[in-house]
Amino acid sequence: MKKLLVLYFSGTGNTEIAAKHVIQSFTDLGWEIELIRMEDVNQKRVQLDINQYDLIGLGSQVIGYGIPGVVRSFARALPATSDGRKVFIFRTAGGVVSSNYNVSKELIRILKSKHYDVCYEELFSIGSNWIMKYDDVIMKQLYMATIRKISQMCEAIERVERHFYQTGIALRIKMGVIAAFSSKILLLLGKDAVIDKSCTSCGLCARQCPAENISIEKGKVKFHTSCSACLRCVYSCPNHAINFRLLHYVIIPGGYDVKKSLSTNGNSDEKPNGKIPPFFQEYVK
């Protein structure tokens, strides 16, 4: 039986949902699967033996038009391969649009430098945890389309097909510059954080931080300079005690809980009430 290793990073749940559907699709195709979080590898909770797998899948969200710091650290520490081990990449984003078509270029470069054969990349969208939350009906329809597209991706990989996003050179250079700039700035996002009086110093944010960027010192929450900007701390705080001084507008009022949104009552075929994202109709058709 062929063996697949899926490694993923998910800040607030979107990529985790996608990864589990990747697992289901490949299981249906007769593969033996293992699912591991990248942060567990980075933090030495899990040891990897890449050589025992026939195929590797890497999944993460899109942050700052590039790869999160957790993914970058994981990829740089990944051992090189001598046999061109095949890798596919799947990303989740707030939108499947041309500005996101170059988001995996850095990751692909790192993998190729270690002699991996990157054979497929795909973008999916379930929702957005930055700035604007989609209507629950929109999220359900995006989710249903994503399940279908994941199944199609896995079947295509099984058929040894290849797929990569392509854009013009001008957009590629532009988004590459933005991604490089964002990767430096977003490391400091935690320094913009403010903790209000409702904080009980329970330490949940520190324990759950995938980048180990948060600590509790003298009973106070302290942010350091290796933030992955995933917003897990913001949305998982039981007292909603974490906000930002300058970038407060990126936090969705009322929080972001993708599993709750997908489990709400209502038909996924009903008409959305909120603003429809520009990529929506093309994505769900």
Side-chain angles (χ1 to χ4, degrees):
M1 181 179 288
K2 293 176 289 187
K3 296 184 69 174
L4 165 67
L5 172 63
V6 175
L7 297 134
Y8 75 97
F9 170 48
S10 184
T12 56
N14 291 352
T15 308
E16 180 179 38
I17 289 171
K20 289 181 177 179
H21 282 290
V22 170
I23 291 295
Q24 184 60 58
S25 292
F26 270 107
T27 299
D28 292 344
L29 291 169
W31 288 67
E32 181 181 341
I33 320 289
E34 187 168 3
L35 181 67
I36 297 175
R37 299 191 306 173
M38 291 183 188
E39 63 203 77
D40 290 333
V41 178
N42 289 352
Q43 296 173 23
K44 304 294 191 291
R45 292 194 289 262
V46 174
Q47 298 295 320
L48 288 184
D49 179 8
I50 295 296
N51 294 322
Q52 65 177 300
Y53 303 100
D54 301 291
L55 178 66
I56 300 168
L58 302 180
S60 84
Q61 69 276 57
V62 174
I63 295 179
Y65 298 104
I67 57 175
V70 167
V71 178
R72 185 177 294 106
S73 297
F74 168 83
R76 287 175 174 171
L78 195 66
T81 180
S82 59
D83 59 1
R85 194 64 47 99
K86 290 189 178 299
V87 176
F88 67 93
I89 296 169
F90 62 98
R91 309 291 300 276
T92 59
V96 180
V97 293
S98 59
S99 58
N100 280 330
Y101 286 176
N102 293 294
V103 294
S104 295
K105 293 295 188 280
E106 180 188 359
L107 179 57
I108 291 171
R109 286 195 300 270
I110 295 172
L111 293 170
K112 286 185 174 180
S113 74
K114 296 173 179 285
H115 310 296
Y116 289 91
D117 177 13
V118 181
C119 60
Y120 211 97
E121 69 165 327
E122 193 60 87
L123 272 170
F124 304 112
S125 184
I126 299 173
S128 173
N129 67 356
W130 275 64
I131 301 176
M132 182 184 73
K133 179 184 179 297
Y134 299 150
D135 179 84
D136 286 350
V137 174
I138 290 175
M139 290 181 66
K140 287 179 183 179
Q141 293 184 23
L142 289 173
Y143 170 68
M144 296 306 295
T146 294
I147 293 176
R148 171 170 49 83
K149 290 175 183 292
I150 286 174
S151 179
Q152 293 169 347
M153 176 190 74
C154 296
E155 290 170 359
I157 294 171
E158 172 82 356
R159 294 192 299 268
V160 200
E161 294 179 10
R162 302 176 78 89
H163 175 263
F164 299 95
Y165 289 97
Q166 301 293 337
T167 66
I169 187 66
L171 181 60
R172 183 171 180 175
I173 292 173
K174 174 185 175 182
M175 300 315 299
V177 171
I178 292 174
F181 178 76
S182 296
S183 69
K184 304 298 184 185
I185 296 300
L186 292 177
L187 290 172
L188 304 175
L189 183 63
K191 292 300 184 181
D192 189 44
V194 289
I195 312 299
D196 70 28
K197 294 180 180 179
S198 65
C199 174
T200 62
S201 299
C202 69
L204 180 65
C205 55
R207 292 192 300 274
Q208 289 193 347
C209 179
E212 298 183 294
N213 189 55
I214 306 173
S215 60
I216 307 296
E217 301 181 11
K218 297 181 180 180
K220 301 292 183 180
V221 176
K222 183 174 181 179
F223 288 81
H224 303 281
T225 56
S226 59
C227 184
S228 272
C230 69
L231 302 187
R232 185 187 294 177
C233 60
V234 173
Y235 295 130
S236 65
C237 177
N239 293 329
H240 310 290
I242 303 174
N243 208 321
F244 297 120
R245 296 181 184 87
L246 301 177
L247 298 178
H248 55 86
Y249 59 88
V250 308
I251 299 175
I252 293 171
Y256 181 81
D257 186 336
V258 60
K259 293 179 181 178
K260 182 178 179 180
S261 293
L262 296 178
S263 66
T264 54
N265 294 329
N267 192 325
S268 62
D269 294 327
E270 65 184 273
K271 187 176 180 180
N273 294 318
K275 182 179 179 181
I276 298 177
F279 70 95
F280 177 77
Q281 298 296 346
E282 180 68 21
Y283 188 80
V284 302
K285 72 177 184 180

